[in-house]
Amino acid sequence: MVNFHRTRSLAFYNKPDLEPAHKRPIPQGPYDTWDAPGLVDDFRLNLLDWGSSDMKAIALGNRVYLVGHSGISNLVTGLDEDGIVTSVSWAPDGRRIAIGLDNSQVQLWDAASSQKVSTLRGCHAHGSRVGSMAWNNNHILTTGGMDGLIVNNDERMRSHIVDSYEGHTLEVCGLKWSASGQQLASGGSDNLVHIWDRSMASSNLPTPWLHRLDHHTSAVKALAWCPFQRNLLASGGGEGDGSIKFWSTKTGACLNSVNTGSEVSALLWSKTERELLSSHGHGYDQNQLILWRYPSLVKMAKLAHTSRVLCMAQSPDGCTVASAGGDERLRLWNVFGVPEIPKPTPKLKPEPFLPAIHMR
């Protein structure tokens, strides 16, 4: 039986020696740490997600655990016949979660009742693990497999496969929909990034890509759409590449690139500031999170891990980040500041009493 428990941690504050102009204190250590035994040390898998209901999901071997304010619950236990869990992804409603498996299938679970809702079969070639998933809305789930295929599934329909995208020749390890739901970014073990547009979809033929981006020299898992600039995508390359690149998905042009020195496993934009957080593993400057100012790409903070960082997820309010490492630890970081508390609407002063006007 897996023992998933919290360990104590201390937070030290990062002095602004990386960017003198930066004044917000950034804790250099996590404010909370949990043991996560059984976490698969595989760069290409997506084993951590944070839902809109403020519940984190993490896959440990053939189990999925939910981590919330009240503690930990075991959602899925013992999928031995289906192999290990290779990806998890919350639906936008925060109630259902998709679980990708090593045997090419996807299961949908209701988190509140801990009941399996359905199983999506035939999305990918038999034995092709589903290592990446992304929801477009509450009903369209996009899956990426080791077979290089990307599939849109409408979970409401018996024949759930509604679109397919063919362009990768090796495993699809990163998928992200834009905020508008119009464009999909995909990254693969073939070192490619593709941009797909829903307006180009066909019910009879695979959807052609809008852009094929081949500047990376290693697998691309890390993808992040910019929340404050439309058509801006950040991508990160694996070991042997280590670069973060910024793309215009309107033109397909590479706008900028920075060499981080180590594999980039995940990217997260701040929802309130022009900042980007990257996580890292193998390389000469490794096992850490790096906070960047955009577009200057000045390093604002470097937060150390004891092992390669495999996955990251962001809280619904955008301020907190969870990271999972090869040391089988789940860490929580206050990276992006404190959520803003909306100011109360000022009360209007009552109008002075007006004397009555008598009509004759």
Side-chain angles (χ1 to χ4, degrees):
M1 182 175 180
V2 176
N3 294 315
F4 191 127
H5 62 276
R6 174 183 285 161
T7 57
R8 291 182 60 84
S9 61
L10 299 175
F12 300 93
Y13 283 83
N14 189 80
K15 295 181 180 179
D17 54 346
L18 295 171
E19 187 190 27
H22 182 65
K23 296 181 180 180
R24 187 181 81 241
I26 301 172
Q28 195 173 359
Y31 71 84
D32 210 352
T33 304
W34 299 75
D35 287 332
L39 182 71
V40 179
D41 188 354
D42 190 326
F43 166 81
R44 290 169 174 79
L45 302 185
N46 292 274
L47 304 176
L48 175 67
D49 197 21
W50 201 329
S52 61
S53 60
D54 205 16
M55 189 76 70
K56 296 169 283 293
I58 185 169
L60 304 179
N62 61 357
R63 300 167 181 251
V64 176
Y65 291 88
L66 303 184
V67 184
H69 296 292
S70 58
I72 300 167
S73 60
N74 190 356
L75 177 67
V76 180
T77 303
L79 295 169
D80 294 321
E81 68 278 8
D82 302 317
I84 64 169
V85 177
T86 51
S87 55
V88 292
S89 181
W90 284 100
D93 60 17
R95 295 164 52 190
R96 293 166 302 134
I97 185 170
I99 298 173
L101 299 171
D102 197 43
N103 69 349
S104 78
Q105 296 181 8
V106 175
Q107 295 182 0
L108 300 180
W109 285 69
D110 182 279
S113 64
S114 296
Q115 297 293 318
K116 183 170 67 172
V117 177
S118 63
T119 300
L120 305 181
R121 296 180 173 88
C123 311
H124 299 278
H126 180 70
S128 173
R129 69 184 186 183
V130 181
S132 56
M133 298 185 293
W135 291 85
N136 191 305
N137 53 45
N138 274 320
H139 301 292
I140 301 297
L141 174 66
T142 305
T143 59
M146 185 175 270
D147 55 4
L149 188 63
I150 301 169
V151 175
N152 283 346
N153 301 273
D154 189 333
E155 52 92 13
R156 298 167 297 184
M157 301 172 60
R158 181 180 294 273
S159 299
H160 51 84
I161 299 176
V162 292
D163 296 307
S164 63
Y165 305 84
E166 296 181 9
H168 291 283
T169 57
L170 296 174
E171 181 171 18
V172 179
C173 43
L175 287 172
K176 285 288 167 59
W177 281 100
S178 63
S180 66
Q182 187 63 31
Q183 290 189 339
L184 173 70
S186 64
S189 294
D190 52 9
N191 310 343
L192 295 174
V193 175
H194 284 99
I195 308 299
W196 316 84
D197 196 287
R198 291 193 70 184
S199 65
M200 301 171 68
S202 168
S203 58
N204 300 320
L205 299 171
T207 302
W209 63 74
L210 178 64
H211 298 297
R212 181 185 182 96
L213 312 174
D214 60 0
H215 290 37
H216 285 289
T217 58
S218 186
V220 181
K221 172 189 174 184
L223 298 166
W225 291 92
C226 180
F228 56 82
Q229 186 172 330
R230 190 177 180 184
N231 298 320
L232 175 62
L233 175 76
S235 64
E239 187 178 8
D241 180 314
S243 68
I244 302 173
K245 298 186 186 299
F246 300 87
W247 309 90
S248 165
T249 63
K250 184 177 181 180
T251 65
C254 183
L255 305 176
N256 206 346
S257 179
V258 59
N259 181 16
T260 71
S262 54
E263 68 180 13
V264 184
S265 57
L267 293 167
L268 295 172
W269 288 96
S270 168
K271 294 183 179 181
T272 57
E273 303 289 339
R274 292 177 178 261
E275 299 170 1
L276 178 71
L277 184 70
S278 58
S279 61
H280 302 274
H282 296 155
Y284 66 79
D285 198 7
Q286 57 183 326
N287 305 338
Q288 61 189 347
L289 311 181
I290 300 178
L291 185 63
W292 308 82
R293 175 74 71 184
Y294 185 83
S296 67
L297 299 181
V298 171
K299 293 180 183 178
M300 299 167 58
K302 295 167 71 172
L303 313 176
H305 258 249
T306 57
S307 181
R308 69 191 299 208
V309 188
L310 298 169
C311 308
M312 285 198 304
Q314 195 170 15
S315 62
D317 64 16
C319 297
T320 307
V321 169
S323 62
D327 57 357
E328 300 183 331
R329 295 284 181 88
L330 176 67
R331 294 171 170 84
L332 301 180
W333 310 80
N334 284 325
V335 178
F336 291 126
V338 179
E340 293 183 2
I341 301 175
K343 296 180 180 179
T345 304
K347 294 182 179 180
L348 297 176
K349 292 182 180 180
E351 293 290 336
F353 181 76
L354 297 177
I357 300 177
H358 297 280
M359 300 293 293
R360 293 184 178 181

